[in-house]
Amino acid sequence: MGTAASMNADTSSENHAGGQLYVSLKMENYSLKGELVPHVFGSAPLVGSWDSSKALSMERESTFMWELSFVVPPNHETLDFKFLLKPKHGNVPCIVEEGPNRHLIGGALPGDQNSAVFKVPGDEVLEYKVFIQADRVSPFDLAASWRVYQENFQRSTVRGIPDVSIASVTEASNENGSPASLELDIEHYVVPAPSSANSGPVYAANMTETPRSLTRTGIFSRNDSSSDSSHSQKDLGASVDRPGGMEVIVPETAKLSLESGLVESKSVGTFSNMQKHEGHRGLFVDRGVGSPRLLKSASSSTFALDVKLDSESKNSMPAAAGAVAAGAIADQMLGPKEDRHLAIVLVGLPARGKTFTAAKLTRYLRWLGHDTKHFNVGKYRRLKHGVNQTADFFRGDNAEGIEARNEVAALAMEDMISWMQEGGQVGIFDATNSTRKRRNMLMKMAEGECKIIFLETLCNDRSIIERNIRLKVQQSPDYAEEPDFEAGYNDFKVRLENYEKVYEPVEEGSYIKMIDMVSGNGGQIQVNNISGYLPGRIVFFLVNTHLTPRPILLTRHGESRDNVRGRIGGDSAISDSGELYAKKLANFVERRLKNEKAASIWTSTLQRTILTASPIGGFPKIQWRALDEINAGVCDGMTYEEIKKNMPEEYESRKKDKLRYRYPRGESYLDVIQRLEPVIIELERQRAPVVVISHQAVLRALYAYFADRPLKEIPHIEMPLHTIIEIQMGVTGVQEKRYKLM
């Protein structure tokens, strides 16, 4: 960028036939004054007239910079104009810059006009730096630029902000944000995390499904009510309150109106038009509230029998939207009965990361809307045989030990199959399953009930194995009553040797092998006989996951102008309070991540997140369209009171089911989850810290993934302004801290 004085006056002598003049005017001021917005007015045809009410508004490019770009017609390369300040809301009073008119001649300003001076009421003087850049561009380049803009609708790129940039450190303002006022004591800013969050390391096996077939004393209980699975066993650290599946409504024949073609959906009590096609059968899914889940023509009386989507299997449908639901429907319509339920059976020696991999996979599938449960055979063993089993219990020549371990494995498998028959979709069966005999037993039990995919974890890195052994001894309930760490460590080493003597790698059936993948530094993944939408998603997730510890910082943008007015959506700039938060956030990030050279800053493409990130220097900034706020459709820019008054039916529909409610021509929370999946995959793949600056609905969905919160809770998760949520990801699971900077 060049200033007016540095412009080459010879630009006007260039051949006009070679292109048109593209001019960018920029104004910079660090002493902000209320809501005064810089404008440009002047001679026709560029600006329109010297009428201040018709002046062109400059667009905010960053916290302290405004910009206006235009193309000058070849016969009007000499222009007269001036800058003026106008209130953001209204046309008066206008403050015109002091001094003579500016003359733009062929893209250059004669003389020294690098600043614009304004006298505001009270004899206060405001001075803005002025930058002018002029380039000769061909009509072809102009057309291409406009086409890209039309296709992407990324106003940030039009404002000159690249999609990826590395910002240098921004000088701190002397007003409301001086270094002295931003002194940071991180501990001072820490606030307690929500009570539902885990305060410390949690052994992943403790968070698995609580055995329903065993009582606390280890006695068989075959009379457990199926409703028991819906309760949480808090004293065991188990949480089985999971999101329900996608509801499939089969209308009764009596409710079908042949004359009107209307079908009543009993779950929501609304009607939808249905085209009558004789003999046609089909599954119709729309995740918007008020739409029937399944439409059936009057003549297709055999539909429910053919597809068997009755009350017994309705919960096997995912709650998520779009491709997830479509993939599940395709698998159910085209595959055999057992393919409707999927069992991921873990295989591997102890201390190879099986349980942590299972926990991450369970969390991912639940977040996508698949009803998923994690069954840990070790938990069954501890309840049935106690926690004081020594390494001898795991010897390959200990017939009693083998029988006892196979017994609890069969119990866990029976529980998982029973849960699937009640509507569960994906079961994660977590055990060593180290011999073909054990795996054959499981496959025989699964015949006709569910599809089995073996997931084998192999690790040859002795340092990682050693780390995992020590974590196991420290955290596993197996050694909770062993006060001597070295004694527990030696016992576990002997247990591991017992397993190694009889271990047989997977070579049968459908399987996924993860070889040295746990570190995230390469490795191999092998697949055999894998097909279908959901198995494909699982493979893709596993390829990108690892256990390298690193923090992820989530924060909303600084308070925006629309936040102050209570309006949803929009693309407003940030308020004075939001700008102060942006400075505090930059100071926090600089200190928190000062030794993390590979960290990055992710924002949405909306200017309130870009402006919040602008003071942060030294890290790459990446804009994600997927991080844009939930699309409010026709309600964009309205307040909730206006929606309630003008669109009462929409207001009530949203109130009844915020998760599935879709704004007219907009999105639902389930839609947001679907578009955030690539963001989650990339966050899992990153090995360096990431700061995500986004919006309330989006951050609710991201936070729910890491905290393993049920889908139904997502729209109600508290996500306050001016607060940082630090998610720490590592081998001990996911922990969080919160920092409230303002």
Side-chain angles (χ1 to χ4, degrees):
M1 178 185 297
T3 63
S6 65
M7 282 293 179
N8 188 341
D10 293 335
T11 308
S12 60
S13 65
E14 293 183 13
N15 186 354
H16 291 169
Q20 292 178 269
L21 201 61
Y22 180 83
V23 178
S24 173
L25 304 177
K26 294 178 184 282
M27 293 180 65
E28 182 182 62
N29 188 313
Y30 284 89
S31 300
L32 307 179
K33 186 70 178 177
E35 290 198 357
L36 293 176
V37 178
H39 285 62
V40 178
F41 72 139
S43 61
L46 171 64
V47 185
S49 71
W50 288 99
D51 183 352
S52 60
S53 65
K54 299 179 181 178
L56 298 181
S57 173
M58 301 184 75
E59 192 135 12
R60 196 161 196 165
E61 181 181 277
S62 65
T63 308
F64 310 109
M65 184 78 76
W66 288 262
E67 191 262 356
L68 175 66
S69 300
F70 50 85
V71 177
V72 181
N75 57 338
H76 286 88
E77 290 195 359
T78 300
L79 300 170
D80 290 347
F81 69 95
K82 297 191 82 170
F83 295 106
L84 76 157
L85 303 179
K86 291 174 62 175
K88 189 170 184 179
H89 306 286
N91 289 321
V92 289
C94 294
I95 305 170
V96 181
E97 70 167 312
E98 300 293 310
N101 296 347
R102 297 175 182 271
H103 302 285
L104 185 67
I105 303 173
L109 281 176
D112 185 9
Q113 300 184 51
N114 297 336
S115 63
V117 177
F118 301 87
K119 288 186 178 179
V120 299
D123 294 330
E124 185 178 355
V125 176
L126 290 178
E127 184 173 354
Y128 288 69
K129 289 184 179 180
V130 175
F131 304 90
I132 296 180
Q133 181 176 0
D135 297 297
R136 185 75 59 178
V137 293
S138 69
F140 175 82
D141 290 336
L142 283 174
S145 298
W146 178 249
R147 185 169 62 253
V148 169
Y149 169 59
Q150 288 289 82
E151 290 175 355
N152 295 314
F153 290 101
Q154 291 186 344
R155 292 194 289 166
S156 59
T157 57
V158 175
R159 289 196 295 269
I161 303 173
D163 289 334
V164 180
S165 63
I166 298 182
S168 58
V169 178
T170 308
E171 293 182 8
S173 168
N174 292 326
E175 187 176 76
N176 297 327
S178 64
S181 69
L182 294 176
E183 284 300 323
L184 187 62
D185 176 4
I186 289 182
E187 294 303 319
H188 172 73
Y189 287 107
V190 176
V191 296
S195 57
S196 61
N198 299 321
S199 57
V202 175
Y203 186 57
N206 282 351
M207 302 302 295
T208 61
E209 176 67 6
T210 299
R212 70 171 79 178
S213 58
L214 296 174
T215 64
R216 304 194 186 283
T217 57
I219 302 174
F220 290 94
S221 174
R222 294 298 183 187
N223 299 319
D224 289 348
S225 168
S226 62
S227 63
D228 289 347
S229 63
S230 64
H231 299 300
S232 296
Q233 306 292 345
K234 295 180 181 177
D235 53 333
L236 292 177
S239 176
V240 296
D241 179 21
R242 298 305 169 205
M246 183 169 113
E247 185 176 10
V248 178
I249 304 300
V250 182
E252 297 175 7
T253 306
K255 294 291 185 180
L256 297 174
S257 171
L258 298 180
E259 291 80 13
S260 62
L262 292 177
V263 178
E264 182 182 8
S265 172
K266 291 188 289 185
S267 64
V268 292
T270 59
F271 291 90
S272 291
N273 287 321
M274 180 187 76
Q275 301 211 348
K276 301 191 293 287
H277 296 290
E278 289 301 317
H280 176 70
R281 300 178 306 192
L283 206 58
F284 192 82
V285 178
D286 185 334
R287 298 313 305 151
V289 168
S291 300
R293 272 57 165 176
L294 178 133
L295 297 184
K296 181 180 99 171
S297 77
S299 63
S300 58
S301 58
T302 61
F303 179 85
L305 293 176
D306 289 347
V307 186
K308 297 187 184 301
L309 288 172
D310 50 19
S311 60
E312 180 181 329
S313 61
K314 66 180 182 180
N315 286 334
S316 63
M317 302 292 288
V324 174
I329 291 170
D331 286 348
Q332 290 195 19
M333 298 283 281
L334 300 175
K337 178 182 177 181
E338 57 267 23
D339 282 1
R340 299 177 194 170
H341 306 295
L342 181 62
I344 305 296
V345 176
L346 275 292
V347 179
L349 292 167
R352 263 57 176 185
K354 294 187 305 300
T355 296
F356 291 120
T357 300
K360 288 169 73 73
L361 184 57
T362 302
R363 182 158 46 91
Y364 171 70
L365 294 174
R366 282 174 182 161
W367 183 77
L368 281 182
H370 299 284
D371 196 2
T372 306
K373 282 186 178 177
H374 180 185
F375 295 81
N376 181 269
V377 175
K379 192 170 187 177
Y380 280 70
R381 170 179 52 77
R382 285 186 285 273
L383 283 173
K384 182 69 168 64
H385 300 287
V387 298
N388 297 316
Q389 301 298 330
T390 65
D392 286 342
F393 182 80
F394 302 93
R395 289 202 330 264
D397 57 355
N398 182 346
E400 291 183 0
I402 292 173
E403 182 180 357
R405 286 185 282 132
N406 284 339
E407 181 185 35
V408 291
L411 286 174
M413 192 68 177
E414 287 176 3
D415 275 1
M416 187 170 73
I417 292 173
S418 297
W419 168 75
M420 288 178 173
Q421 290 172 345
E422 295 164 7
Q425 188 183 5
V426 184
I428 312 289
F429 190 85
D430 182 8
T432 55
N433 300 312
S434 54
T435 65
R436 292 190 186 92
K437 185 175 181 180
R438 162 73 74 84
R439 297 193 293 267
N440 288 336
M441 179 190 82
L442 299 177
M443 286 193 288
K444 188 172 182 180
M445 294 180 68
E447 282 182 4
E449 301 294 345
C450 62
K451 178 180 180 179
I452 281 186
I453 294 178
F454 292 112
L455 174 56
E456 185 177 17
T457 59
L458 302 169
C459 180
N460 299 305
D461 189 326
R462 301 310 302 180
S463 62
I464 292 178
I465 295 173
E466 180 67 20
R467 179 193 66 184
N468 289 348
I469 291 174
R470 292 185 172 276
L471 283 172
K472 186 90 170 179
V473 175
Q474 290 170 359
Q475 296 182 6
S476 172
D478 285 347
Y479 298 98
E481 298 178 11
E482 174 55 75
D484 186 349
F485 175 83
E486 288 302 321
Y489 174 83
N490 292 329
D491 180 83
F492 189 82
K493 293 277 282 188
V494 175
R495 181 197 299 192
L496 182 55
E497 290 173 1
N498 290 335
Y499 273 110
E500 288 174 339
K501 291 175 183 177
V502 298
Y503 187 79
E504 298 172 299
V506 176
E507 295 176 350
E508 66 273 20
S510 300
Y511 62 77
I512 304 167
K513 285 178 182 277
M514 298 176 64
I515 305 170
D516 293 327
M517 291 284 293
V518 71
S519 68
N521 296 314
Q524 297 179 12
I525 190 162
Q526 299 176 2
V527 297
N528 180 66
N529 194 24
I530 299 295
S531 63
Y533 175 82
L534 193 52
R537 300 309 303 159
I538 290 170
V539 171
F540 183 61
F541 176 77
L542 294 174
V543 166
N544 289 284
T545 190
H546 59 87
L547 296 176
T548 304
R550 77 279 191 198
I552 294 173
L553 277 59
L554 307 177
T555 182
R556 289 175 66 184
H557 53 78
E559 180 190 68
S560 70
R561 306 287 187 186
D562 281 344
N563 286 149
V564 175
R565 293 189 285 266
R567 300 195 177 278
I568 62 176
D571 190 16
S572 63
I574 53 179
S575 66
D576 292 343
S577 178
E579 289 172 359
L580 179 58
Y581 176 68
K583 298 168 189 172
K584 285 180 173 286
L585 176 63
N587 192 269
F588 178 92
V589 170
E590 178 186 344
R591 298 196 181 195
R592 177 64 184 83
L593 304 180
K594 60 184 177 182
N595 297 320
E596 302 285 356
K597 301 303 181 185
S600 56
I601 315 297
W602 296 3
T603 73
S604 72
T605 64
L606 301 176
Q607 65 170 334
R608 53 190 182 273
T609 64
I610 296 171
L611 294 173
T612 302
S614 62
I616 302 174
F619 298 105
K621 296 173 185 173
I622 303 169
Q623 294 178 31
W624 285 74
R625 181 170 296 280
L627 290 175
D628 285 2
E629 180 60 299
I630 187 171
N631 184 351
V634 300
C635 300
D636 190 78
M638 300 173 67
T639 66
Y640 289 116
E641 283 300 316
E642 290 171 345
I643 297 173
K644 184 176 182 180
K645 178 180 178 181
N646 301 321
M647 308 171 70
E649 292 181 0
E650 294 296 332
Y651 184 85
E652 289 301 320
S653 292
R654 178 178 178 274
K655 188 176 179 181
K656 289 177 183 176
D657 190 351
K658 286 182 67 176
L659 176 69
R660 290 172 176 80
Y661 171 77
R662 179 179 289 137
Y663 286 102
R665 302 182 188 176
E667 289 181 305
S668 68
Y669 270 91
L670 291 177
D671 295 326
V672 172
I673 289 171
Q674 186 179 353
R675 67 166 154 95
L676 282 175
E677 187 188 7
V679 178
I680 288 295
I681 294 294
E682 192 59 30
L683 284 173
E684 286 286 2
R685 197 178 70 85
Q686 295 287 315
R687 290 194 294 274
V690 177
V691 180
V692 180
I693 304 174
S694 188
H695 310 267
Q696 181 169 249
V698 170
L699 291 175
R700 281 171 169 167
L702 291 178
Y703 175 80
Y705 168 78
F706 293 113
D708 196 16
R709 298 279 288 272
L711 290 181
K712 63 185 179 183
E713 294 183 9
I714 290 179
H716 310 286
I717 293 173
E718 184 180 4
M719 198 59 59
L721 282 169
H722 303 160
T723 301
I724 300 165
I725 300 177
E726 179 177 324
I727 305 291
Q728 188 71 41
M729 299 177 64
V731 294
T732 57
V734 177
Q735 303 167 53
E736 73 169 83
K737 276 187 179 180
R738 296 193 173 208
Y739 305 90
K740 191 169 185 62
L741 301 191
M742 291 175 59

